[in-house]
Amino acid sequence: MTFKKFTYTILISTIVLAANAQEVLINLSSYPIPKTDNNTKASLYKAKSILELPFFDDFARPTVFPTDELWESSDVLCNLNYAINPPTIGVATFDAINRKGELYEWLSTTPQGADTLTSLPINLVYPASDSIYLSFSFQPRGLGIDPTDRDSLVLELWDEVQTKWVRAWSASYTKDSLRQKNILNKKFKKVESDTLHKTFHNAIICIEDEGFLTSNFKFRFINYASIADNSTVPSIRGNTDHWHIDMVYINKDRYFEDTIFNDVAFSRPIKNLMINYTSVPWSHFSSAYSSEFPSPLKINTYYKNLGPITWLVSIKFNVYDLSGLKPDSLFPGGGDNINPYQEYFYSRYFDLSFKSAWQDSAKYSIQSIITLFNTPKSTIPAHFVYNDTISRTIEFHNYYSYDDGSAEMGYGIFGEGTIGATVAQKFYNYKADTLKGIMIYFNRIYNDANDKPFRLMVWDDDNGKPGNIIYQKNSVRPKFTDSLNKYSVYRIDPTAIPIGNFYIGWMKETQDALNVGFDMNADNKSRLFFNKDGDWENTQQEGTLMIRPIFGKMHQIPTNVTPNPTNQNISIYPNPAKDNIFIKVDNATEIATIQIINSVGNVVLSQTYYNQEPINIQNIPPGFYIVKVCPQKGKCITSKLLIVR
């Protein structure tokens, strides 16, 4: 670790901060959760009251919380960003936070039960000789915070005979040691390494006791967590104890070494398409395009062969204009043999012009799909289908951003001598315009102890560092939200920003850390500066401060929809709908394509249709959707649909 002028970084879950002024990374007391419920997500089949084997979940569904097809309601978070190198895309993360983004009120410095994930009832009426095993993969910490040596991840099974939960397995972790206790099968394992937090570890349990082999078998994971003992520093007292699980699998005819899956799956999310930013204002897009988008564009995908079989695999790509102006762009990918247990990287170059039916914004969904050659879709187990598809939604509205919308840490400056200290993040403005506001994502701290006044600041450029103050607003306070991409928005007096570098940030009015969201998946430390003694210095932290400048109008929804040039109208009935819908497009009789898109931009249904033929929506959960119809002739048309049950 590099020291500069007595400024350094520590993980406050394990070390109590000294009084000296310091940069700090703060463990989260909340997670930016999209205001989306499982019931707004599409599924291939309806939930059953009693599940049948096999039971499998790799948390690859595009849901915020574990699917209610397999699990009871839970505060465990499904995400793409918190784990390191998971077996497949998506994990379930356990921490000390409920789904409202608040620390569990009963937690203390002594470990207590925090997040719980409980399965729905499963039919296990089988003889013990059928060799039923439960397996899963898990990782401590990842990009989060180390569990303390007293904290643990626990698996419990429901014993129908004794009518109680029975502890079957547990794991504990220190920075260089991981201990597994298979209590049920009397197997114990200890591993020592300094990279344990970057690895997924396998666990497997044999289920053979009569109390478990019933029609009402259930199991649950619980993490026992504690909060940091920083009572003298309340503004940095936050969340600890991160565990991530993946590949939860129960089936018969298994054995203790059976942790291999014959499947090819995406292993990482689609990365950002832009060179520097994750978003630019739509009104600046044409000025920024040549600098931010390589020509041709490139989509990078990562996928793994999880088993011992060589597969012939192809990747295809779909690009959907969610404004409805342009037809979908389909890009086939090449095929290749995928060797056992290998991770592969595939890039697809393509030409794409970004346009929108909205005058002030644009929104696109990019989708990639794995196809196994010479493998009929009907032969692929249903539980593997979700990890074959990944998507990324990109939106251009009224702000510049570097972050991906997820905060894995919080950033701040704390200690004596930091009153008046400043933090600034550099942005390059591609078009002379007026800065109207600043968006900041604040992580919550225990008892909202970081709710302290600060000064909102804007600087011009001085040879690559913040220069003169061109705007400041005194005694501003953090605003807390619990929604992804719904940052706190601060209006400022209109401030002219020329083409070139400028800086936004804050000046401290107390010694407390403000705990601004910090994205660990995008490294922009060269653009993040702090100043506590008169000199601007680059941060030593690899990540991105979640702060965004706003240009143009201050609203956050698409407006001024351009009239459809075909003068076609779309009718959907019934609306609200339950089982089937009918779509009528004026002056359209030919075959067209229809897509139903959920609230986060994922396509949940795509098919061809004839005007006014019935479309089955029984497998789409209740919620609001966008219906996009693209006739063979003319422009695509969109409308809203409400599904109710």
Side-chain angles (χ1 to χ4, degrees):
M1 187 173 292
T2 301
F3 291 77
K4 296 178 74 174
K5 297 184 180 181
F6 304 102
T7 302
Y8 58 96
T9 300
I10 60 178
L11 300 179
I12 54 91
S13 61
T14 56
I15 303 176
V16 177
L17 295 174
N20 293 335
Q22 28 193 308
E23 265 189 305
V24 294
L25 286 186
I26 306 166
N27 22 350
L28 300 188
S29 289
S30 64
Y31 194 91
I33 299 173
K35 291 187 175 180
T36 306
D37 189 81
N38 282 349
N39 292 329
T40 67
K41 304 297 181 178
S43 61
L44 296 182
Y45 51 86
K46 295 181 179 180
K48 301 177 181 178
S49 57
I50 302 294
L51 304 177
E52 300 291 341
L53 295 179
F55 180 104
F56 178 84
D57 199 357
D58 64 352
F59 308 100
R61 293 171 171 83
T63 58
V64 178
F65 302 106
T67 175
D68 55 10
E69 295 173 354
L70 301 174
W71 306 96
E72 295 180 2
S73 178
S74 174
D75 295 332
V76 172
L77 180 76
C78 295
N79 66 94
L80 306 178
N81 303 310
Y82 234 141
I84 298 174
N85 195 29
T88 68
I89 189 169
V91 298
T93 294
F94 293 72
D95 54 23
I97 298 167
N98 65 22
R99 69 169 55 202
K100 295 181 179 180
E102 304 166 340
L103 282 168
Y104 292 108
E105 60 183 10
W106 58 82
L107 293 183
S108 67
T109 55
T110 302
Q112 304 288 333
D115 277 346
T116 300
L117 180 61
T118 306
S119 73
L120 294 177
I122 306 168
N123 177 22
L124 288 194
V125 181
Y126 295 90
S129 59
D130 277 2
S131 299
I132 296 175
Y133 284 76
L134 186 162
S135 64
F136 58 95
S137 300
F138 70 99
Q139 181 182 81
R141 179 182 162 181
L143 291 175
I145 298 297
D146 288 318
T148 70
D149 56 4
R150 299 174 299 166
D151 302 324
S152 59
L153 179 67
V154 170
L155 170 69
E156 296 180 338
L157 310 181
W158 177 251
D159 189 317
E160 188 77 359
V161 175
Q162 302 184 64
T163 62
K164 67 176 185 179
W165 290 100
V166 175
R167 180 169 292 195
W169 173 94
S170 67
S172 59
Y173 168 78
T174 63
K175 287 188 175 181
D176 58 1
S177 177
L178 177 68
R179 297 176 176 85
Q180 291 192 56
K181 297 180 180 180
N182 185 340
I183 304 160
L184 193 66
N185 305 142
K186 298 179 174 58
K187 294 179 178 289
F188 305 93
K189 182 178 181 181
K190 180 180 179 181
V191 181
E192 294 184 345
S193 171
D194 60 357
T195 60
L196 295 171
H197 70 288
K198 299 180 180 179
T199 303
F200 270 81
H201 311 270
N202 293 324
I204 187 165
I205 297 94
C206 180
I207 302 174
E208 55 187 352
D209 294 354
E210 65 176 5
F212 307 136
L213 300 177
T214 71
S215 62
N216 193 42
F217 171 77
K218 294 190 292 185
F219 66 99
R220 68 183 185 185
F221 295 96
I222 306 173
N223 72 310
Y224 284 81
S226 56
I227 59 176
D229 188 12
N230 288 317
S231 57
T232 61
V233 192
S235 65
I236 57 174
R237 191 178 186 189
N239 183 31
T240 60
D241 312 294
H242 290 104
W243 299 87
H244 318 284
I245 65 170
D246 202 357
M247 312 300 287
V248 182
Y249 179 46
I250 307 177
N251 208 355
K252 61 181 182 175
D253 301 323
R254 302 184 67 194
Y255 50 94
F256 268 111
E257 290 73 32
D258 182 25
T259 58
I260 304 299
F261 296 90
N262 290 322
D263 190 29
V264 178
F266 285 111
S267 54
R268 308 186 197 184
I270 295 174
K271 296 298 184 181
N272 180 36
L273 298 184
M274 304 178 71
I275 295 175
N276 298 297
Y277 291 114
T278 55
S279 184
V280 300
W282 185 239
S283 59
H284 296 198
F285 188 86
S286 59
S287 301
Y289 187 86
S290 60
S291 299
E292 288 295 330
F293 288 89
S295 182
L297 290 174
K298 182 173 69 171
I299 298 178
N300 296 329
T301 56
Y302 295 83
Y303 51 100
K304 291 179 181 177
N305 185 345
L306 303 176
I309 299 174
T310 298
W311 297 90
L312 181 58
V313 173
S314 73
I315 308 291
K316 69 176 183 180
F317 302 87
N318 303 319
V319 181
Y320 305 107
D321 172 16
L322 301 184
S323 79
L325 178 66
K326 295 180 58 179
D328 303 332
S329 301
L330 308 178
F331 302 93
D336 200 0
N337 285 317
I338 308 302
N339 295 323
Y341 309 114
Q342 298 297 307
E343 183 178 46
Y344 287 79
F345 168 77
Y346 183 83
S347 293
R348 177 61 160 90
Y349 293 86
F350 60 97
D351 293 312
L352 181 67
S353 61
F354 290 88
K355 297 182 179 179
S356 178
W358 304 322
Q359 293 182 2
D360 54 7
S361 59
K363 192 173 184 179
Y364 283 78
S365 178
I366 299 174
Q367 184 185 69
S368 184
I369 302 171
I370 292 173
T371 300
L372 302 179
F373 280 107
N374 303 320
T375 305
K377 190 173 182 179
S378 60
T379 65
I380 301 175
H383 50 263
F384 285 152
V385 300
Y386 296 100
N387 60 36
D388 292 342
T389 302
I390 55 174
S391 61
R392 180 186 181 101
T393 300
I394 55 175
E395 183 173 9
F396 307 103
H397 197 26
N398 60 356
Y399 59 85
Y400 286 101
S401 65
Y402 297 119
D403 62 271
D404 65 3
S406 72
E408 286 73 42
M409 286 283 188
Y411 177 89
I413 296 179
F414 170 81
E416 293 181 4
T418 61
I419 297 177
T422 47
V423 175
Q425 186 151 280
K426 180 196 295 186
F427 292 85
Y428 185 88
N429 185 31
Y430 284 104
K431 179 182 178 182
D433 203 347
T434 301
L435 183 68
K436 298 290 187 63
I438 296 174
M439 303 164 65
I440 308 177
Y441 188 88
F442 288 99
N443 296 307
R444 304 192 83 131
I445 285 297
Y446 187 68
N447 287 332
D448 290 340
N450 61 325
D451 184 8
K452 305 293 184 181
F454 64 95
R455 189 175 301 178
L456 200 61
M457 309 283 290
V458 183
W459 298 263
D460 64 11
D461 181 70
D462 182 12
N463 295 317
K465 292 184 177 182
N468 298 313
I469 299 170
I470 57 177
Y471 177 83
Q472 57 182 317
K473 186 175 184 178
N474 300 336
S475 298
V476 180
R477 285 185 174 269
K479 303 174 184 177
F480 302 112
T481 67
D482 61 357
S483 180
L484 187 68
N485 294 328
K486 189 178 179 181
Y487 288 25
S488 299
V489 177
Y490 297 90
R491 292 181 178 271
I492 68 171
D493 296 335
T495 303
I497 305 293
I499 295 174
N501 293 330
F502 71 103
Y503 304 77
I504 59 174
W506 66 87
M507 177 184 290
K508 296 184 58 182
E509 296 185 356
T510 71
Q511 70 176 21
D512 299 278
L514 289 176
N515 194 15
V516 175
F518 200 69
D519 177 12
M520 300 289 288
N521 289 286
D523 183 12
N524 284 284
K525 69 177 182 180
S526 65
R527 298 182 172 100
L528 180 57
F529 299 84
F530 66 94
N531 185 337
K532 68 177 184 65
D533 54 11
D535 295 323
W536 287 101
E537 300 179 57
N538 268 125
T539 181
Q540 296 299 302
Q541 305 311 312
E542 295 183 357
T544 297
L545 197 66
M546 295 176 67
I547 185 169
R548 302 170 172 180
I550 301 173
F551 291 89
K553 297 180 180 179
M554 291 288 290
H555 53 74
Q556 295 297 310
I557 58 174
T559 62
N560 301 326
V561 177
T562 303
N564 192 299
T566 63
N567 294 319
Q568 292 177 309
N569 294 315
I570 179 175
S571 300
I572 302 175
Y573 56 94
N575 192 3
K578 180 179 180 182
D579 299 317
N580 294 282
I581 60 172
F582 297 84
I583 297 178
K584 183 178 184 302
V585 179
D586 291 350
N587 304 317
T589 58
E590 74 278 7
I591 295 174
T593 60
I594 174 177
Q595 293 170 351
I596 298 180
I597 303 163
N598 65 15
S599 59
V600 296
N602 295 317
V603 179
V604 302
L605 185 147
S606 181
Q607 67 179 63
T608 59
Y609 94 109
Y610 231 108
N611 206 24
Q612 299 191 61
E613 80 176 351
I615 298 169
N616 190 319
I617 59 170
Q618 294 182 19
N619 290 329
I620 302 179
F624 281 100
Y625 296 86
I626 297 294
V627 178
K628 179 179 179 181
V629 179
C630 296
Q632 287 186 338
K633 299 179 181 179
K635 302 293 186 178
C636 297
I637 313 166
T638 61
S639 186
K640 296 180 179 180
L641 169 67
L642 175 61
I643 299 177
V644 297
R645 301 280 192 273

